[in-house]
Amino acid sequence: MSHLIPYRKKTKWGYSNNQGKILVACVYDEVQEFALENELLMVRKDGANILINRSGKVVVRDFETYRLCEKDGSLLVIARRIVHTKKIEKGTADYDMFPKEPGAYYPDLLTISTYEYGVYDSVGTLVASFSSQSY
């Protein structure tokens, strides 16, 4: 299987093979070399993050962030969207109940978001989904 290389045509980006043959059309504002074993590619178009496969088919559209699954490098964890955001102030019961590491600095106002996550395999199949909070 050939390695995909970012390729620019005027102001738009796509992917080519080693010989310069365009394999994914140059229609994106940004592309990254990052991929799950060079199978899934993160691109941006009109301000949205998009995950595509090697043929350019959209797998996930308009997600927040992504990272490789730490225990299994063949899975990708994607924060698909923010479900809920809550601001809590120091001195309130919510702030006091928020788990904190001893000795760590925490600001007077915390913003806690609940994200909807998806876990995808190297061909773009959703294998799990869940919601979790982070600040």
Side-chain angles (χ1 to χ4, degrees):
M1 184 169 300
S2 67
H3 185 73
L4 295 179
I5 300 168
Y7 187 93
R8 187 177 74 180
K9 199 174 199 181
K10 296 187 180 179
T11 62
K12 298 296 181 180
W13 289 87
Y15 291 91
S16 72
N17 63 13
N18 291 341
Q19 291 77 37
K21 179 181 177 192
I22 296 175
L23 302 176
V24 175
C26 297
V27 296
Y28 299 103
D29 301 324
E30 297 175 39
V31 296
Q32 295 185 3
E33 281 190 78
F34 172 78
L36 274 182
E37 299 178 17
N38 206 31
E39 293 297 323
L40 299 178
L41 310 158
M42 209 293 267
V43 297
R44 289 183 55 82
K45 186 174 181 181
D46 301 327
N49 291 326
I50 303 168
L51 192 67
I52 61 174
N53 65 17
R54 290 176 64 86
S55 64
K57 181 180 177 217
V58 173
V59 175
V60 182
R61 180 184 302 280
D62 202 19
F63 59 92
E64 296 290 322
T65 60
Y66 66 89
R67 71 172 192 235
L68 273 175
C69 186
E70 290 147 11
K71 297 203 186 272
D72 182 350
S74 67
L75 295 175
L76 184 70
V77 179
I78 294 179
R80 292 190 290 196
R81 66 187 179 99
I82 298 174
V83 178
H84 174 73
T85 299
K86 179 179 183 181
K87 294 187 182 297
I88 57 174
E89 292 184 48
K90 193 172 195 171
T92 63
D94 283 345
Y95 190 95
D96 294 339
M97 289 175 31
F98 183 77
K100 299 175 203 63
E101 291 181 29
Y105 168 77
Y106 292 90
D108 292 343
L109 180 68
L110 292 176
T111 301
I112 301 171
S113 296
T114 301
Y115 288 88
E116 176 186 279
Y117 291 92
V119 180
Y120 293 82
D121 66 13
S122 63
V123 293
T125 303
L126 178 67
V127 294
S129 63
F130 59 94
S131 293
S132 181
Q133 286 186 339
S134 65
Y135 76 99

Short mmCIF file of all heavy atoms in Angstrom, two decimals, residues 4 6 9 24 26 43 50 54 63 67 72 96 112 120 128:
data_model
loop_
_atom_site.label_atom_id
_atom_site.label_comp_id
_atom_site.label_asym_id
_atom_site.label_seq_id
_atom_site.Cartn_x
_atom_site.Cartn_y
_atom_site.Cartn_z
N LEU A 4 0.48 8.04 1.43
CA LEU A 4 -0.13 9.25 0.89
C LEU A 4 0.69 10.47 1.31
O LEU A 4 1.10 10.57 2.46
CB LEU A 4 -1.57 9.39 1.37
CG LEU A 4 -2.53 8.31 0.89
CD1 LEU A 4 -3.92 8.54 1.47
CD2 LEU A 4 -2.60 8.26 -0.62
N PRO A 6 0.82 14.77 1.37
CA PRO A 6 0.06 16.00 1.15
C PRO A 6 0.49 16.66 -0.15
O PRO A 6 1.68 16.72 -0.47
CB PRO A 6 0.42 16.86 2.36
CG PRO A 6 0.78 15.87 3.42
CD PRO A 6 1.47 14.75 2.69
N LYS A 9 -2.52 22.18 -4.75
CA LYS A 9 -2.83 22.67 -6.10
C LYS A 9 -3.44 24.05 -5.91
O LYS A 9 -4.54 24.16 -5.37
CB LYS A 9 -3.80 21.71 -6.78
CG LYS A 9 -3.86 21.81 -8.25
CD LYS A 9 -4.75 20.70 -8.79
CE LYS A 9 -4.49 20.47 -10.23
NZ LYS A 9 -5.35 19.43 -10.77
N VAL A 24 -6.37 11.81 -3.66
CA VAL A 24 -7.49 12.48 -2.97
C VAL A 24 -7.50 13.91 -3.51
O VAL A 24 -6.50 14.63 -3.41
CB VAL A 24 -7.32 12.47 -1.44
CG1 VAL A 24 -8.42 13.27 -0.76
CG2 VAL A 24 -7.29 11.05 -0.90
N CYS A 26 -7.72 17.78 -4.47
CA CYS A 26 -7.24 18.98 -3.78
C CYS A 26 -8.41 19.94 -3.54
O CYS A 26 -8.62 20.88 -4.32
CB CYS A 26 -6.13 19.64 -4.59
SG CYS A 26 -4.67 18.62 -4.78
N VAL A 43 -8.29 16.33 7.80
CA VAL A 43 -8.24 17.49 6.92
C VAL A 43 -9.15 18.58 7.49
O VAL A 43 -9.95 18.32 8.38
CB VAL A 43 -8.67 17.11 5.48
CG1 VAL A 43 -7.71 16.10 4.87
CG2 VAL A 43 -10.08 16.58 5.43
N ILE A 50 -12.33 17.29 9.51
CA ILE A 50 -12.95 16.17 8.81
C ILE A 50 -11.96 15.02 8.79
O ILE A 50 -10.77 15.23 8.54
CB ILE A 50 -13.33 16.57 7.36
CG1 ILE A 50 -14.26 17.78 7.34
CG2 ILE A 50 -13.96 15.39 6.62
CD1 ILE A 50 -14.46 18.40 5.97
N ARG A 54 -8.59 6.79 2.69
CA ARG A 54 -7.60 6.92 1.61
C ARG A 54 -8.22 7.31 0.26
O ARG A 54 -7.55 7.89 -0.58
CB ARG A 54 -6.84 5.62 1.43
CG ARG A 54 -5.90 5.31 2.56
CD ARG A 54 -5.24 3.96 2.36
NE ARG A 54 -4.38 3.93 1.18
CZ ARG A 54 -3.12 4.31 1.13
NH1 ARG A 54 -2.55 4.77 2.22
NH2 ARG A 54 -2.43 4.23 0.03
N PHE A 63 -15.67 17.52 13.91
CA PHE A 63 -15.39 17.09 15.27
C PHE A 63 -14.42 18.06 15.92
O PHE A 63 -13.80 18.88 15.25
CB PHE A 63 -14.86 15.65 15.29
CG PHE A 63 -13.61 15.44 14.50
CD1 PHE A 63 -12.37 15.56 15.10
CD2 PHE A 63 -13.66 15.12 13.16
CE1 PHE A 63 -11.21 15.36 14.37
CE2 PHE A 63 -12.51 14.91 12.42
CZ PHE A 63 -11.28 15.04 13.03
N ARG A 67 -7.17 11.92 19.07
CA ARG A 67 -5.90 11.40 19.55
C ARG A 67 -5.88 9.89 19.35
O ARG A 67 -6.92 9.25 19.31
CB ARG A 67 -5.65 11.76 21.00
CG ARG A 67 -6.51 11.02 21.98
CD ARG A 67 -6.06 11.30 23.41
NE ARG A 67 -6.72 10.37 24.27
CZ ARG A 67 -7.45 10.69 25.31
NH1 ARG A 67 -7.61 11.95 25.63
NH2 ARG A 67 -8.01 9.78 26.05
N ASP A 72 -4.06 1.03 22.37
CA ASP A 72 -4.10 0.31 21.10
C ASP A 72 -3.89 1.32 19.98
O ASP A 72 -4.80 2.06 19.63
CB ASP A 72 -5.45 -0.40 20.95
CG ASP A 72 -5.56 -1.20 19.66
OD1 ASP A 72 -4.68 -1.07 18.80
OD2 ASP A 72 -6.52 -1.96 19.54
N ASP A 96 -16.08 22.80 44.89
CA ASP A 96 -15.47 21.98 45.94
C ASP A 96 -15.59 20.49 45.64
O ASP A 96 -14.73 19.70 46.02
CB ASP A 96 -16.10 22.29 47.30
CG ASP A 96 -15.79 23.72 47.76
OD1 ASP A 96 -14.80 24.30 47.26
OD2 ASP A 96 -16.55 24.25 48.59
N ILE A 112 -16.16 23.45 32.57
CA ILE A 112 -16.21 22.00 32.43
C ILE A 112 -17.14 21.67 31.28
O ILE A 112 -18.28 22.09 31.24
CB ILE A 112 -16.70 21.33 33.74
CG1 ILE A 112 -15.78 21.71 34.89
CG2 ILE A 112 -16.80 19.83 33.58
CD1 ILE A 112 -16.27 21.30 36.24
N TYR A 120 -12.80 4.99 16.64
CA TYR A 120 -12.84 4.48 15.28
C TYR A 120 -11.64 3.57 15.02
O TYR A 120 -10.56 3.81 15.52
CB TYR A 120 -12.81 5.65 14.28
CG TYR A 120 -14.05 6.48 14.35
CD1 TYR A 120 -14.20 7.47 15.31
CD2 TYR A 120 -15.10 6.27 13.47
CE1 TYR A 120 -15.35 8.23 15.39
CE2 TYR A 120 -16.26 7.04 13.54
CZ TYR A 120 -16.38 8.01 14.51
OH TYR A 120 -17.52 8.75 14.59
N ALA A 128 -17.01 2.26 19.28
CA ALA A 128 -17.58 2.58 20.59
C ALA A 128 -17.86 4.07 20.65
O ALA A 128 -17.25 4.86 19.94
CB ALA A 128 -16.60 2.20 21.71
#
